[in-house]
Short mmCIF file of all heavy atoms in Angstrom, two decimals:
data_model
loop_
_atom_site.label_atom_id
_atom_site.label_comp_id
_atom_site.label_asym_id
_atom_site.label_seq_id
_atom_site.Cartn_x
_atom_site.Cartn_y
_atom_site.Cartn_z
N ALA A 51 -3.30 5.83 60.54
CA ALA A 51 -4.16 4.96 61.30
C ALA A 51 -4.31 5.30 62.82
O ALA A 51 -5.35 5.29 63.42
CB ALA A 51 -3.72 3.46 61.19
N ALA A 52 -3.15 5.76 63.35
CA ALA A 52 -3.16 6.22 64.80
C ALA A 52 -3.81 7.56 64.94
O ALA A 52 -4.56 7.79 65.81
CB ALA A 52 -1.63 6.41 65.26
N LYS A 53 -3.57 8.48 63.87
CA LYS A 53 -4.22 9.76 64.06
C LYS A 53 -5.75 9.72 63.97
O LYS A 53 -6.44 10.40 64.77
CB LYS A 53 -3.69 10.63 62.81
CG LYS A 53 -4.35 11.98 62.71
CD LYS A 53 -3.73 12.77 61.54
CE LYS A 53 -4.52 14.19 61.51
NZ LYS A 53 -3.95 15.04 60.40
N TYR A 54 -6.25 8.84 63.09
CA TYR A 54 -7.71 8.77 62.93
C TYR A 54 -8.33 7.59 63.70
O TYR A 54 -9.52 7.34 63.63
CB TYR A 54 -8.08 8.71 61.42
CG TYR A 54 -7.70 9.96 60.73
CD1 TYR A 54 -6.74 9.91 59.71
CD2 TYR A 54 -8.28 11.25 60.86
CE1 TYR A 54 -6.31 11.01 59.14
CE2 TYR A 54 -7.90 12.31 60.23
CZ TYR A 54 -6.87 12.24 59.25
OH TYR A 54 -6.50 13.30 58.57
N ASN A 55 -7.47 6.85 64.44
CA ASN A 55 -7.99 5.82 65.17
C ASN A 55 -8.93 4.82 64.47
O ASN A 55 -10.02 4.56 64.81
CB ASN A 55 -8.83 6.34 66.53
CG ASN A 55 -9.06 5.19 67.49
OD1 ASN A 55 -8.34 4.27 67.54
ND2 ASN A 55 -10.10 5.32 68.30
N THR A 56 -8.34 4.43 63.35
CA THR A 56 -9.16 3.55 62.40
C THR A 56 -8.38 2.20 62.13
O THR A 56 -7.18 2.24 62.10
CB THR A 56 -9.44 4.16 61.07
OG1 THR A 56 -10.18 3.29 60.28
CG2 THR A 56 -8.19 4.67 60.37
N THR A 57 -9.13 1.13 61.95
CA THR A 57 -8.59 -0.03 61.54
C THR A 57 -8.78 -0.38 59.95
O THR A 57 -8.41 -1.32 59.43
CB THR A 57 -9.14 -1.31 62.24
OG1 THR A 57 -10.70 -1.30 62.11
CG2 THR A 57 -8.91 -1.22 63.80
N GLN A 58 -9.43 0.61 59.37
CA GLN A 58 -9.66 0.54 57.90
C GLN A 58 -8.73 1.43 57.11
O GLN A 58 -9.15 1.90 56.10
CB GLN A 58 -11.20 0.97 57.66
CG GLN A 58 -12.23 0.22 58.45
CD GLN A 58 -12.19 -1.28 58.08
OE1 GLN A 58 -12.10 -1.64 56.95
NE2 GLN A 58 -12.32 -2.18 59.09
N ILE A 59 -7.44 1.43 57.60
CA ILE A 59 -6.61 2.34 56.84
C ILE A 59 -6.25 1.89 55.46
O ILE A 59 -5.86 2.81 54.65
CB ILE A 59 -5.26 2.41 57.77
CG1 ILE A 59 -4.49 3.74 57.37
CG2 ILE A 59 -4.44 1.24 57.67
CD1 ILE A 59 -5.20 5.05 57.63
N SER A 60 -6.35 0.67 55.14
CA SER A 60 -6.07 0.34 53.88
C SER A 60 -7.01 0.93 52.77
O SER A 60 -6.63 0.97 51.53
CB SER A 60 -6.28 -1.22 53.67
OG SER A 60 -7.56 -1.64 53.99
N TRP A 61 -8.06 1.52 53.10
CA TRP A 61 -8.96 2.24 52.19
C TRP A 61 -8.24 3.47 51.65
O TRP A 61 -8.65 4.00 50.59
CB TRP A 61 -10.29 2.52 52.81
CG TRP A 61 -11.24 1.41 52.66
CD1 TRP A 61 -11.57 0.46 53.57
CD2 TRP A 61 -11.91 1.10 51.49
NE1 TRP A 61 -12.46 -0.46 52.94
CE2 TRP A 61 -12.63 -0.05 51.66
CE3 TRP A 61 -11.86 1.67 50.25
CZ2 TRP A 61 -13.50 -0.62 50.78
CZ3 TRP A 61 -12.72 1.11 49.20
CH2 TRP A 61 -13.49 -0.06 49.50
N MET A 62 -7.21 3.96 52.32
CA MET A 62 -6.44 5.04 51.73
C MET A 62 -5.79 4.69 50.45
O MET A 62 -5.63 5.61 49.54
CB MET A 62 -5.49 5.59 52.72
CG MET A 62 -5.95 6.47 53.85
SD MET A 62 -4.80 7.19 54.84
CE MET A 62 -4.06 8.37 53.70
N ILE A 63 -5.44 3.40 50.28
CA ILE A 63 -4.96 2.98 49.07
C ILE A 63 -6.01 2.46 48.14
O ILE A 63 -6.08 2.71 46.93
CB ILE A 63 -3.95 1.83 49.28
CG1 ILE A 63 -2.78 2.28 50.22
CG2 ILE A 63 -3.43 1.21 47.98
CD1 ILE A 63 -1.96 3.28 49.52
N ALA A 64 -6.95 1.68 48.67
CA ALA A 64 -8.07 1.05 47.87
C ALA A 64 -8.86 2.16 47.10
O ALA A 64 -9.12 1.99 45.95
CB ALA A 64 -8.93 0.27 48.79
N ILE A 65 -9.28 3.17 47.80
CA ILE A 65 -10.22 4.16 47.15
C ILE A 65 -9.45 4.90 46.02
O ILE A 65 -9.98 5.26 44.95
CB ILE A 65 -10.80 5.19 48.16
CG1 ILE A 65 -12.02 5.76 47.58
CG2 ILE A 65 -9.75 6.24 48.63
CD1 ILE A 65 -12.79 6.56 48.66
N PHE A 66 -8.14 5.16 46.25
CA PHE A 66 -7.27 5.81 45.20
C PHE A 66 -7.29 4.84 43.95
O PHE A 66 -7.46 5.38 42.79
CB PHE A 66 -5.88 6.00 45.76
CG PHE A 66 -4.94 6.56 44.76
CD1 PHE A 66 -4.83 7.98 44.75
CD2 PHE A 66 -4.18 5.74 43.97
CE1 PHE A 66 -3.79 8.57 43.82
CE2 PHE A 66 -3.18 6.34 43.09
CZ PHE A 66 -3.09 7.74 42.98
N LEU A 67 -7.12 3.58 44.06
CA LEU A 67 -7.13 2.68 42.96
C LEU A 67 -8.39 2.42 42.36
O LEU A 67 -8.54 2.40 41.07
CB LEU A 67 -6.46 1.26 43.40
CG LEU A 67 -5.00 1.26 43.91
CD1 LEU A 67 -4.71 -0.03 44.50
CD2 LEU A 67 -4.11 1.76 42.76
N LEU A 68 -9.49 2.39 43.14
CA LEU A 68 -10.80 2.13 42.57
C LEU A 68 -11.28 3.37 41.74
O LEU A 68 -11.77 3.23 40.60
CB LEU A 68 -11.87 1.99 43.80
CG LEU A 68 -11.82 0.60 44.47
CD1 LEU A 68 -12.64 0.64 45.74
CD2 LEU A 68 -12.30 -0.52 43.57
N VAL A 69 -11.12 4.55 42.32
CA VAL A 69 -11.51 5.67 41.47
C VAL A 69 -10.67 5.89 40.19
O VAL A 69 -11.30 6.20 39.15
CB VAL A 69 -11.35 6.99 42.38
CG1 VAL A 69 -11.55 8.32 41.57
CG2 VAL A 69 -12.24 6.95 43.54
N GLY A 70 -9.42 5.61 40.36
CA GLY A 70 -8.59 5.61 39.09
C GLY A 70 -9.08 4.66 37.95
O GLY A 70 -9.15 5.03 36.88
N ALA A 71 -9.42 3.41 38.49
CA ALA A 71 -9.83 2.42 37.53
C ALA A 71 -11.16 2.75 36.86
O ALA A 71 -11.32 2.55 35.61
CB ALA A 71 -10.02 1.00 38.17
N VAL A 72 -12.09 3.40 37.56
CA VAL A 72 -13.38 3.72 36.96
C VAL A 72 -13.26 4.96 36.15
O VAL A 72 -13.88 4.99 35.07
CB VAL A 72 -14.31 3.92 38.19
CG1 VAL A 72 -15.68 4.52 37.67
CG2 VAL A 72 -14.68 2.65 38.96
N LEU A 73 -12.47 5.92 36.60
CA LEU A 73 -12.43 7.23 35.82
C LEU A 73 -11.68 7.23 34.53
O LEU A 73 -11.82 7.98 33.64
CB LEU A 73 -12.00 8.33 36.77
CG LEU A 73 -12.92 8.86 37.79
CD1 LEU A 73 -12.26 10.04 38.54
CD2 LEU A 73 -14.21 9.32 37.11
N THR A 74 -10.63 6.21 34.52
CA THR A 74 -9.70 6.21 33.45
C THR A 74 -10.36 6.14 32.04
O THR A 74 -10.08 6.97 31.16
CB THR A 74 -8.62 5.08 33.57
OG1 THR A 74 -7.78 5.36 34.68
CG2 THR A 74 -7.83 4.93 32.41
N PRO A 75 -11.20 5.17 31.75
CA PRO A 75 -11.97 5.17 30.42
C PRO A 75 -12.82 6.38 30.27
O PRO A 75 -13.05 6.87 29.18
CB PRO A 75 -12.73 3.91 30.39
CG PRO A 75 -12.84 3.44 31.73
CD PRO A 75 -11.62 4.02 32.52
N VAL A 76 -13.62 6.81 31.38
CA VAL A 76 -14.53 7.90 31.28
C VAL A 76 -13.87 9.18 30.91
O VAL A 76 -14.30 9.92 29.96
CB VAL A 76 -15.24 8.02 32.58
CG1 VAL A 76 -16.22 9.24 32.50
CG2 VAL A 76 -16.09 6.76 32.82
N LEU A 77 -12.74 9.53 31.63
CA LEU A 77 -12.03 10.79 31.33
C LEU A 77 -11.30 10.70 29.96
O LEU A 77 -11.09 11.70 29.31
CB LEU A 77 -11.01 11.07 32.45
CG LEU A 77 -11.65 11.39 33.82
CD1 LEU A 77 -10.62 11.79 34.80
CD2 LEU A 77 -12.69 12.57 33.63
#
Side-chain angles (χ1 to χ4, degrees):
K53 176 179 178 179
Y54 297 112
N55 191 27
T56 178
T57 60
Q58 303 296 317
I59 198 63
S60 62
W61 271 102
M62 285 187 66
I63 300 296
I65 198 167
F66 181 88
L67 296 174
L68 285 171
V69 170
V72 172
L73 287 184
T74 296
V76 175
L77 293 183

